Each structure stands twice: as structure tokens, then as C-alpha cells.
Amino acid sequence: MEKRVVVTGLGAVTPLGNDVKTTWENMKKGVNGIDTVTKFDASGYKCTFAGEVRGFDPTLYMPKGEVRKTDLYCQYAVAAATQAYEDSGLTAEDVAPDRFGVYIGSGIGGINTLITEHNKFVEKGPGRVSPFFVPMMISNIASGTVAIKYHAQGPNIGIVTACATSTNSIGEAYRAIKHGYADVMLAGGSEAAITPLCFAGFISCQALSQATDKDRASIPFDKERSGFTMGEGGAVVLLEEYEHAKARGAKIYAEVAGYGCTNDAYHMTAPDPEATASARAVALAVREAGIEAGRGVYVNAHGTGTPLNDKTETQMLKRVFGEGAYALHVSSTKSMTGHMLGAAGGVEAIASVLALHDGVVPPTINYRVKDEACDLDITPNEAVSAPLTAALSTSLGFGGHNGCLAFRKI
């Protein structure tokens, strides 16, 4: 028998705050978390803005000795997972180790470690490379580290699907509980890729915004959009089988009611402009969740601010909802956080859950110029209150990866 799955814990470290409460309050206020890069001198780059995490202290979540042996992306993941676990009120006595799993992924993984150790190798020789280099660098180590912390011996996968990583992680964790393989899952993603090399790479493939004003750097659905702005951080949700959560008296934010996963099979970086496969991912989630119309539905769009993505997503929603797409509440919180890559879907799932829980649609900020090709209600500049019954969170990743999560009010 298929199980119901609910969200009972939330955790996040983002450019809008180092916990969920701060992040969500700033999202509702329309705070811009994007500013001039401080992690390196970006003055010689075509892009100089990013959504950086500020004032993060990993020792709040890990011993100092362990911090030295982990990449920043892993530290973000551990912090977000710890917050989600504590927010859920779960204890070790509440779940058997073999029924507790972790799916935490990263699009890029330990790139800071890779760069640091490569420089050591070139400058000082192979003998100076850290013995922790490989475990610090690999993209699955965040999932493994969190599992060790909580003695979670159930399903454990570090999913890597670029910008769809967190969405796929949460969706596959949902399925693991739904089909009886686990009772509790920590799921999400993390990323710490604001480095000179990553900036150079994304600029070379013409993906980053080259705006000279931070308030015009990440402008999803605006006609003047020219690319995304990189962000960083981590976001994890704690999913739980409904009866398991109810039996221990857990607070429940929302129900995970549907998930769709497809691939464009079209291009290495560009979305299919026909939105055939991405629309199918949304349709699968919508059908599974029993969502029948656009009214009362919030969509946290992938909304990167690239010319192709936002136009394609508009087409995608029209394919699924028809004229009902105009009744949807849509927004892109990337206008405030920047694109957090492998962590993006996790933050946006949390925003979707809280929008549904609180009845508040966060805005798409810094929107000025209407694009006729992006003509849905994208909640420009200010949050709105709305009686929501369902929420969707969509992600479209390099490699053609499409994911959609559907949540229902409970």
C-alpha cells in the first residue's frame, strides 16, 4: 500500500539568511540577497555580482576538527540538515536507523577543495596534497556525512542533476517513503561554487548576467533579463511517512503529493523551447497530486533570468494548465537568492511549502519591463496573500533534467 508523505522539518542557509525563519521573512519582504562578490576580486570579470552566504559559522553544526576536513558545500549541507532535523522534533528513539535515509546532492560538489588541492599539487608537488582531498571533493560526501551524524542507515544517494539536483533529491526521497523503503528522509542539496574558476566557466558559456546594477542582475521574466546570477548555500527538508509523523505528534507543514521527472534530450545547456518534456514533468506531478486547476496554486518557477528559460517555463505552464495558467500565482525567488545551482530546488521547495502553509506568495523582485512572451502572473515586486491549496516547485537543469514537486495543504 502506498504511503502518504509529509514535510515536518525545514533547514536552510541562503543569501537571505542562515536559517529558514530569516530567509523566509526576507523573501516575503522582497529583500535582494545579491551584491558585489567578496569571496574573490571579481573586478576583472564580466559578472561582478553573486548571492553570497554571509556570517556563516560551521562550528554551530560541526566540531572544529571536522570543519577542517570538509568542503564548504558539505558544511552548508550539514547545517541545513541539522536545522531540518531539529525543526522536526525528531529524536533517535523515534525512528529505526534502517528506516532513516538521506538524499542530499550537489551540482558541482567540493570545487573549493579541488581548486585548493590542485594549486598545492602544481606549486609544491604530489606529497603536499591533503589525505582528505578526495572525500572532501566528492559530490556524495554531504549525504554520507549527514547519515553518519544521525546514524541513518536507510537509503542514501547523492544525486547530481545540475540545477535540478535538490528537486530530484526531494522527489526521490518522497518515493522512497511512499513505496515503503523508509519512514524518514532528509533530502535536499547544497552548493558553494562562487569561485574565480566557476565564474569564468559560466561567463564563457554566456550563462551569467553581466548587469552593472545589482538590482538588475537577477531579473526573471523581465524583458531585459540577460542571464542568471550565481548564489550559494544549502537547503534540506525532513520528509516523514504521515502515520509516523502523526503518531509522534509532529507539526506538519504540508503534504508532498506529487513528483515528475523527465529529460529534454535536446541540448547540453539550453532548454527545449517547445517545453514538451518539461511540461510532462509538471503534468506528472500535477496528476499525481490531483491538482485540477490553476486557481489556488502557487508555482515557484525555476525562473533563472536567462532569455530562453523564462520563456520556456511560461510555455511549459501553458501546456499543462491551458488558459488556467493565467490563474496561477507564479514567482521566482531566484530574483532574491540568485541561482543556488544544486541547492536551488531545496530552497524553492521550502519557499513553496511556506507559501502554502502561510498563504503568502513571495515576489519576483526588481521586475520592471514586461515581456509579452512571459505573460503569466509572476507576482511582481511585492508579496501577496492568497488562499492557496497547492504549490509546485519546478527545476530545469543543464543536461536537460526537469523536475517538479507538488505540495498540498494539510
Side-chain angles (χ1 to χ4, degrees):
M1 185 176 71
E2 292 184 345
K3 310 287 188 180
R4 293 176 67 185
V5 183
V6 293
V7 181
T8 58
L10 306 172
V13 176
T14 80
L16 292 176
N18 292 339
D19 55 57
V20 169
K21 181 179 179 182
T22 307
T23 295
W24 179 234
E25 287 302 315
N26 282 330
M27 271 188 185
K28 289 188 292 184
K29 292 174 184 175
V31 173
N32 190 358
I34 294 165
D35 210 331
T36 303
V37 174
T38 63
K39 289 179 177 287
F40 64 93
D41 181 4
S43 57
Y45 289 72
K46 293 179 180 178
C47 173
T48 60
F49 297 115
E52 296 182 336
V53 169
R54 300 172 183 86
F56 174 67
D57 182 1
T59 63
L60 295 175
Y61 308 98
M62 310 167 71
K64 286 184 180 179
E66 192 173 339
V67 170
R68 289 194 296 269
K69 301 173 186 175
T70 54
D71 188 88
L72 182 59
Y73 100 92
C74 185
Q75 295 168 17
Y76 288 156
V78 171
T82 302
Q83 290 177 24
Y85 183 89
E86 292 178 353
D87 182 44
S88 75
L90 197 75
T91 69
E93 291 72 33
D94 290 325
V95 59
D98 63 340
R99 302 290 298 171
F100 187 2
V102 183
Y103 287 2
I104 296 176
S106 178
I108 295 175
I111 189 70
N112 286 277
T113 295
L114 176 61
I115 293 168
T116 297
E117 297 304 320
H118 175 262
N119 289 342
K120 281 189 197 175
F121 174 77
V122 170
E123 295 167 7
K124 300 178 181 179
R128 297 301 295 273
V129 172
S130 169
F132 297 104
F133 166 50
V134 172
M136 288 174 69
M137 174 192 66
I138 53 180
S139 296
N140 68 303
I141 204 65
S143 202
T145 301
V146 171
I148 291 168
K149 178 170 184 173
Y150 291 111
H151 197 56
Q153 296 181 330
N156 192 298
I157 300 175
I159 290 173
V160 180
T161 49
C163 315
T165 292
S166 287
T167 296
N168 288 145
S169 296
I170 296 168
E172 297 301 329
Y174 155 69
R175 286 179 174 172
I177 296 175
K178 179 178 180 178
H179 297 300
Y181 297 103
D183 295 322
V184 174
M185 297 288 294
L186 282 165
S190 62
E191 207 77 86
I194 299 176
T195 66
L197 181 62
C198 287
F199 256 59
F202 279 120
I203 289 169
S204 291
C205 70
Q206 300 182 324
L208 293 187
S209 166
Q210 298 181 21
T212 56
D213 177 354
K214 70 177 183 179
D215 289 333
R216 299 300 285 163
S218 183
I219 50 171
F221 303 111
D222 191 298
K223 195 166 188 173
E224 295 181 353
R225 66 190 183 277
S226 61
F228 75 81
T229 300
M230 197 185 300
E232 64 172 349
V236 174
V237 298
L238 191 139
L239 304 184
E240 196 166 350
E241 193 272 321
Y242 174 63
E243 296 297 338
H244 187 277
K246 194 166 69 168
R248 68 178 186 86
K251 71 175 180 301
I252 295 174
Y253 287 102
E255 180 172 4
V256 189
Y259 167 55
C261 174
T262 65
N263 193 282
D264 284 349
Y266 171 76
H267 188 271
M268 186 181 294
T269 57
D272 178 1
E274 296 299 316
T276 305
S278 57
R280 188 158 51 85
V282 176
L284 287 167
V286 165
R287 185 170 64 226
E288 187 176 16
I291 298 169
E292 297 178 355
R295 193 167 302 281
V297 178
Y298 168 56
V299 180
N300 188 297
H302 190 55
T304 57
T306 62
L308 281 176
N309 177 93
D310 300 0
K311 180 180 177 181
T312 299
E313 275 206 278
T314 303
Q315 171 76 359
M316 174 188 81
L317 293 172
K318 289 178 180 179
R319 274 185 173 271
V320 176
F321 290 96
E323 286 298 310
Y326 291 98
L328 296 167
H329 295 278
V330 183
S331 71
S332 172
T333 49
K334 286 186 180 72
S335 60
M336 295 175 274
T337 65
H339 190 348
M340 293 166 62
L341 308 177
V347 172
E348 290 155 17
I350 290 172
S352 300
V353 166
L354 290 175
L356 188 58
H357 185 267
D358 293 356
V360 177
V361 178
T364 305
I365 68 166
N366 293 321
Y367 179 81
R368 295 179 190 170
V369 185
K370 183 177 176 61
D371 184 347
E372 295 77 9
C374 302
D375 60 345
L376 302 182
D377 177 6
I378 55 93
T379 320
N381 301 317
E382 292 186 4
V384 299
S385 296
L388 302 173
T389 57
L392 302 174
S393 181
T394 60
S395 295
L396 284 62
F398 279 9
H401 298 282
N402 305 306
C404 179
L405 295 165
F407 302 94
R408 291 199 72 94
K409 196 174 183 67
I410 192 170

